[in-house]
Amino acid sequence: MKKLLFYIGLLFFTCFNVAAQKSSKINVEHSDFATVDQDEIPDALLLTGNVRVSHEGVVFTCNKAYFFQKENYLKAFGEVQMVQGDTLYLNSKYAEYNGEVKKAFATGNVIMRSPESTLVTDTINFDRNTQEAFYNTYGTITNKENTLKSKSGRYFANEKKFKFLTAVTITNPKYTIKSNHLDYYTNSGHSYLFGPSTIVSKENFIYTEKGFYDTKKNQAKLLRNSYIKYKDRRIEGDSLFYDRNREYASATNNVKITDSINKGIIKGHYAEIYRNLKTEKDSMMITKRAVAVTLIEKDSMYIHGKKMLITGKNGERIIRAFNNVRFYKTDMSGKCDSIHSDQKIALTKLIGRPILWNFDNQMTGDVMHLIGNNKTEKLDSLKVLNNAFIISKDTIGTGYNQVKGLNLYGKFKDNKLSEVDIVKNTEVIYYMRNDKQELIGINKSVGSKINLILDKNTIETITVFNNPDGEILTEAELPENARKLRGFIWRGDERIKSKEDIFPAEENELDAKIKAESKAEKEKENVPMEPSAETLNYDKPKTKVTPTKKEPKPKIK
């Protein structure tokens, strides 16, 4: 009995709830003629001439209509228009409206207008309960900035948002966006892209699988497998920001910039790039384990600095690296405080306590210049200015071959140091050995100029010019404390022996942390971006914060 009463009560509540939600009747406000013809249209009121009906805030006008009063259903013909307040206008040749479920269907040259945009398609359905319209026929959406074309779409009137899950194209005078999954907000012009998507313009090509583009501000934020490609450069990173109006881009984490013309790659974890499309004078800053990799012949030069700046147009770029600069090449490595490299004149300056290792030779001085040849794209010569000093370990013993002077001038052959001249106040200590590598003696000499010929990266001959003063001594004749020239400092433990050695420990730790975080992020399921607060609150009035009144400070008597 209790169960029976319970089911009766539940049935009563359900019937009451349905009745409470039941829609009101469609109201016929006007028509020139109204007739009932049970033979032609049974149970329908035929309305003709300037028909106007309304239903809970929506007004329909047309040339002719069939109103099925029992079903609360309307069929409209000829110049049909549905108006919902001042936010939505729907025009078509034919339409149907169900007053019970508040759903409309329109077909034939359908035009749906809102204050922000206009949609033209063949057939559309509109659900007033959810304020959603959807179409499965080709549609074109236009507003002040853009034209959108898609095979199908859904419009959310409350959010002023179009959602596309099939091929959609946004055409703007400056660019074209293509995607298979895009949310477009008509009021703000914000576009959220998901899956393989492209943004193509005359200046560049952008690819992303998860991104955002503001079509009014011309700004983009790209998050997944994204890159920006210019005719001579490609920019990659876990997160990219791009401002088309300023031609500015920034990249964060796992940044890679490829220079296709100069055969160079720059890596780091943060970069900023400015491009001047008129003068072609670009500028770029990169930091956080920054490294520039340049192809020289079949070898690569790696340069690292805490911060790197690259400015100028193609062929005339200037590269600057700061703070604890280190570089590595198979046959050459070194370090200094900073580097200044001018591409136009092929001059690279090593500034601030520079040291250079060319195979087994350690070279130091106050300033070093590496001069290249732009035609052959090879190293041409070397200058070491003020306090030039060359040191190399003796091939067998514990001694050191040493040459010092005021300045050093070296010549390269096939990117290898082949001849060196040391001038002014020169001194030399050299361990002389025969073909059997037996020590003949130790050459200790002074002169005004010394010439070194290098073969297979070792000193082959030494010639002292202009009144040389020296002698060849045995080990016994030359005591240990006299076997090092003044200013001798062997820095073999600092030598950079691989491309990994150019990075300090703290930057390697940062690199490992960022790569681990990036890997974990990529292993997560890729989902669309959530709309930002700026998107959701675009039309909402901004609340003014009333400043609190400060209490007056007490006067000190």
Side-chain angles (χ1 to χ4, degrees):
M1 186 67 180
K2 288 182 179 179
K3 285 185 178 180
L4 181 62
L5 290 173
F6 171 77
Y7 286 122
I8 292 173
L10 181 63
L11 180 63
F12 174 78
F13 174 79
T14 303
C15 293
F16 175 80
N17 192 41
V18 170
Q21 292 180 357
K22 191 175 180 181
S23 176
S24 61
K25 290 293 181 181
I26 294 172
N27 179 39
V28 178
E29 295 185 1
H30 177 82
S31 70
D32 292 343
F33 301 97
T35 60
V36 175
D37 190 334
Q38 291 293 340
D39 295 329
E40 182 180 350
I41 308 293
D43 301 324
L45 180 64
L46 276 64
L47 307 172
T48 55
N50 297 313
V51 178
R52 178 186 173 94
V53 300
S54 62
H55 184 251
E56 298 185 8
V58 171
V59 176
F60 290 89
T61 58
C62 60
N63 295 332
K64 177 182 176 181
Y66 298 157
F67 177 36
F68 299 88
Q69 294 174 306
K70 290 181 180 180
E71 291 83 3
N72 204 23
Y73 196 88
L74 182 75
K75 291 184 177 182
F77 306 85
E79 297 182 16
V80 181
Q81 183 178 67
M82 183 188 85
V83 180
Q84 179 178 272
D86 57 356
T87 60
L88 192 67
Y89 298 82
L90 185 63
N91 292 76
S92 64
K93 289 183 177 180
Y94 173 76
E96 296 180 11
Y97 179 73
N98 189 328
E100 296 300 305
V101 294
K102 297 183 183 178
K103 291 183 179 180
F105 165 81
T107 188
N109 297 335
V110 176
I111 300 175
M112 186 179 74
R113 291 180 292 117
S114 67
E116 298 84 15
S117 62
T118 300
L119 165 66
V120 177
T121 188
D122 181 71
T123 303
I124 199 167
N125 292 273
F126 181 64
D127 188 337
R128 293 189 60 207
N129 301 293
T130 59
Q131 288 295 297
E132 294 179 19
F134 61 92
Y135 61 94
N136 289 315
T137 53
Y138 280 95
T140 301
I141 302 157
T142 56
N143 59 19
K144 291 180 180 179
E145 294 86 13
N146 310 296
T147 300
L148 291 82
K149 293 185 178 181
S150 67
K151 293 175 67 175
S152 62
R154 186 177 292 268
Y155 178 67
F156 301 83
N158 292 334
E159 300 174 58
K160 299 179 181 178
K161 177 182 79 172
F162 278 97
K163 188 177 191 70
F164 307 99
L165 297 177
T166 55
V168 58
T169 301
I170 300 179
T171 304
N172 182 283
K174 293 183 178 180
Y175 55 84
T176 300
I177 300 175
K178 289 185 177 182
S179 180
N180 282 327
H181 186 153
L182 184 145
D183 289 352
Y184 179 77
Y185 291 80
T186 58
N187 55 348
S188 62
H190 291 178
S191 300
Y192 290 85
L193 301 93
F194 184 70
S197 307
T198 60
I199 306 171
V200 182
S201 69
K202 186 171 66 175
E203 293 80 22
N204 54 40
F205 176 93
I206 297 174
Y207 176 86
T208 186
E209 293 177 13
K210 183 176 181 177
F212 161 83
Y213 195 90
D214 187 329
T215 61
K216 291 186 177 180
K217 295 180 180 178
N218 278 320
Q219 293 178 349
K221 184 177 181 181
L222 315 169
L223 295 180
R224 189 99 170 190
N225 298 330
S226 306
Y227 63 84
I228 304 172
K229 186 178 181 180
Y230 296 88
K231 63 180 180 180
D232 61 344
R233 190 177 293 175
R234 173 175 164 140
I235 304 165
E236 304 170 56
D238 289 355
S239 175
L240 300 178
F241 172 80
Y242 174 62
D243 187 327
R244 188 178 299 276
N245 295 333
R246 295 188 296 151
E247 274 303 328
Y248 164 83
S250 66
T252 305
N253 293 347
N254 295 305
V255 179
K256 181 180 178 182
I257 301 167
T258 305
D259 189 333
S260 57
I261 293 179
N262 297 298
K263 300 176 183 178
I265 295 173
I266 298 173
K267 295 181 179 181
H269 289 301
Y270 182 73
E272 293 185 1
I273 303 100
Y274 285 94
R275 300 201 60 134
N276 190 317
L277 299 176
K278 293 181 179 179
T279 64
E280 296 185 350
K281 291 182 178 179
D282 307 333
S283 63
M284 175 170 56
M285 183 280 295
I286 190 159
T287 186
K288 295 185 179 180
R289 205 174 185 267
V291 59
V293 186
T294 306
L295 185 65
I296 301 175
E297 282 268 294
K298 296 180 181 180
D299 199 1
S300 294
M301 171 76 87
Y302 297 81
I303 302 175
H304 163 74
K306 193 170 184 181
K307 178 190 286 187
M308 302 187 73
L309 297 176
I310 301 172
T311 57
K313 61 183 180 180
N314 187 36
E316 299 179 7
R317 301 204 196 283
I318 292 175
I319 301 174
R320 286 171 285 177
F322 305 96
N323 298 345
N324 194 17
V325 174
R326 304 179 185 188
F327 56 92
Y328 172 79
K329 189 172 169 286
T330 304
D331 54 2
M332 183 185 296
S333 63
K335 55 197 290 189
C336 56
D337 291 338
S338 63
I339 276 182
H340 185 284
S341 183
D342 190 323
Q343 187 183 35
K344 186 177 182 181
I345 59 175
L347 173 62
T348 300
K349 298 178 182 179
L350 313 183
I351 305 165
R353 299 183 70 247
I355 181 168
L356 182 70
W357 290 277
N358 179 240
F359 289 99
D360 295 326
N361 302 307
Q362 172 187 296
M363 286 173 273
T364 55
D366 291 351
V367 175
M368 283 189 186
H369 292 175
L370 285 166
I371 300 100
N373 186 317
N374 282 332
K375 290 183 179 180
T376 62
E377 296 184 350
K378 295 181 181 180
L379 285 172
D380 179 78
S381 55
L382 166 70
K383 289 182 182 180
V384 181
L385 307 177
N386 299 327
N387 300 312
F389 209 131
I390 301 178
I391 305 173
S392 66
K393 271 191 172 184
D394 181 30
T395 53
I396 296 177
T398 59
Y400 295 89
N401 296 316
Q402 305 153 60
V403 183
K404 65 175 290 189
L406 181 64
N407 297 327
L408 179 152
Y409 303 95
K411 292 293 292 182
F412 287 93
K413 185 177 181 180
D414 295 327
N415 290 316
K416 296 175 183 177
L417 200 59
S418 62
E419 186 175 357
V420 172
D421 286 325
I422 301 98
V423 298
K424 292 185 181 180
N425 305 323
T426 60
E427 298 179 62
V428 62
I429 291 178
Y430 183 69
Y431 288 73
M432 303 175 66
R433 295 183 179 275
N434 60 22
D435 294 339
K436 295 180 181 181
Q437 295 299 307
E438 296 170 338
L439 183 65
I440 299 171
I442 303 172
N443 183 352
K444 185 172 183 180
S445 305
V446 296
S448 60
K449 177 183 175 182
I450 294 176
N451 176 264
L452 306 179
I453 302 297
L454 290 88
D455 182 39
K456 296 180 181 179
N457 311 312
T458 58
I459 297 173
E460 182 71 14
T461 62
I462 297 179
T463 307
V464 182
F465 294 90
N466 299 335
N467 302 318
D469 182 13
E471 54 186 333
I472 298 174
L473 305 170
T474 64
E475 286 185 291
E477 293 173 328
L478 188 64
E480 189 73 33
N481 60 3
R483 296 180 189 177
K484 293 178 181 177
L485 299 175
R486 184 184 296 274
F488 174 93
I489 300 175
W490 177 246
R491 297 165 64 181
D493 58 337
E494 299 178 37
R495 183 175 175 180
I496 298 165
K497 299 179 180 179
S498 69
K499 61 185 180 181
E500 286 76 22
D501 288 347
I502 64 176
F503 302 107
E506 63 272 13
E507 294 199 28
N508 283 332
E509 291 175 6
L510 174 67
D511 181 63
K513 180 183 177 183
I514 290 174
K515 286 183 176 177
E517 291 173 351
S518 177
K519 182 181 178 182
E521 182 64 29
K522 285 187 176 181
E523 287 175 351
K524 293 180 182 177
E525 182 185 358
N526 192 19
V527 295
M529 290 177 65
E530 292 291 334
S532 67
E534 181 185 0
T535 301
L536 297 177
N537 300 322
Y538 191 83
D539 289 330
K540 295 179 182 178
K542 296 179 180 179
T543 55
K544 293 183 178 180
V545 179
T546 306
T548 55
K549 293 183 179 179
K550 293 183 178 180
E551 294 292 333
K553 293 182 179 180
K555 294 181 180 180
I556 300 174
K557 294 182 180 180

